[in-house]
Amino acid sequence: GDSVTQMEGPVTLSEEAFLTINCTYTATGYPSLFWYVQYPGEGLQLLLKATKADDKGSNKGFEATYRKETTSFHLEKGSVQVSDSAVYFCALINTGGFKTIFGAGTRLFVKA
Amino acid sequence: NAGVTQTPKFRVLKTGQSMTLLCAQDMNHEYMYWYRQDPGMGLRLIHYSVGEGTTAKGEVPDGYNVSRLKKQNFLLGLESAAPSQTSVYFCASSGGQSSYNEQFFGPGTRLTVL
């Protein structure tokens, strides 16, 4: 079945460091890919998405590119802030589907 | 536009007690979901609904029941709570048939079963 694998955390960075959180997926068909973010004490919220190969999703300085050849959707940010400390979930929905398949989540700590 | 709301926000139960968690959405979404989130376990789907009057089992349905009598509401029931049901519960909703159906989440209910 469809699945999402993301790097284990926690990831600890200093402020202004470069961030990469790896995500790879297994799916039949042509899924849409998502990154969700969960701030402490809150529910998940959509950070960015990409619906077809080579699309780049971006929001709040975060970017991820849909790479079909490597089945990846890695999250990147050039300069993290303390306020980016959160749990990040990679996810997919397969073509014609509605249920979201979530990765296990990666916790990010950013130190001042 | 409140999005997805959940009540209550916190609850403490004794083993064997029952309770109902209420989820409401005002986005006219067809699909609604209940998840539980435990430390180190990510999100696990309990039950979901594809429309008013329908429900279906997810990944971890045992010990829970759900109802979707109105399109905007999705109720999660625990008939006889157990300590293993201590968790944070999230409700989510999403729109109609589309290949990029983002989910909208509520703020969560933190449940402790003693």
Side-chain angles (χ1 to χ4, degrees):
Chain A
D2 299 342
S3 66
V4 175
T5 302
Q6 56 183 110
M7 62 188 290
E8 287 190 25
V11 174
T12 302
L13 295 173
S14 297
E15 207 165 23
E16 299 184 2
F18 185 85
L19 168 71
T20 300
I21 300 178
N22 291 336
C23 171
T24 57
Y25 67 91
T26 301
T28 57
Y30 303 92
S32 295
L33 302 175
F34 306 81
W35 277 101
Y36 286 81
V37 59
Q38 183 180 29
Y39 297 106
E42 299 183 7
L44 280 70
Q45 57 186 273
L46 181 69
L47 179 60
L48 53 85
K49 66 184 179 188
T51 59
K52 61 183 186 297
D54 299 325
D55 268 3
K56 178 185 283 187
S58 62
N59 186 25
K60 299 181 180 180
F62 291 89
E63 293 183 340
T65 301
Y66 189 148
R67 301 285 188 201
K68 188 167 176 59
E69 64 276 13
T70 54
T71 62
S72 65
F73 193 54
H74 305 321
L75 182 68
E76 296 182 337
K77 187 176 185 183
S79 177
V80 294
Q81 305 300 312
V82 172
S83 57
D84 293 326
S85 297
V87 181
Y88 293 82
F89 292 88
C90 186
L92 70 83
I93 296 178
N94 214 334
T95 309
F98 61 92
K99 281 197 285 181
T100 302
I101 309 299
F102 288 95
T106 302
R107 185 174 294 276
L108 170 67
F109 291 105
V110 180
K111 303 180 296 183
Chain B
N1 189 340
V4 179
T5 58
Q6 293 182 232
T7 52
K9 287 186 169 45
F10 302 92
R11 186 73 186 267
V12 178
L13 292 178
K14 294 181 180 178
T15 297
Q17 287 184 318
S18 63
M19 78 164 293
T20 300
L21 283 67
L22 172 63
C23 176
Q25 53 96 3
D26 61 2
M27 295 171 283
N28 202 34
H29 283 165
E30 290 294 330
Y31 305 100
M32 296 187 75
Y33 316 82
W34 276 107
Y35 296 90
R36 58 178 290 172
Q37 185 177 36
D38 302 297
M41 296 290 290
L43 289 170
R44 292 186 289 171
L45 182 64
I46 304 171
H47 285 281
Y48 63 96
S49 167
V50 300
E52 182 179 312
T54 74
T55 63
K57 294 181 181 180
E59 194 183 339
V60 288
D62 293 343
Y64 305 94
N65 57 76
V66 287
S67 64
R68 183 114 182 257
L69 298 180
K70 292 183 179 181
K71 186 176 184 179
Q72 63 268 34
N73 295 337
F74 194 29
L75 279 61
L76 178 71
L78 287 72
E79 290 186 349
S80 179
S84 61
Q85 294 177 304
T86 293
S87 188
V88 181
Y89 292 86
F90 289 100
C91 176
S93 69
S94 64
Q97 290 286 348
S98 168
S99 64
Y100 41 94
N101 238 338
E102 68 173 281
Q103 293 196 4
F104 293 80
F105 283 79
T109 295
R110 186 175 296 275
L111 174 66
T112 301
V113 183
L114 303 175

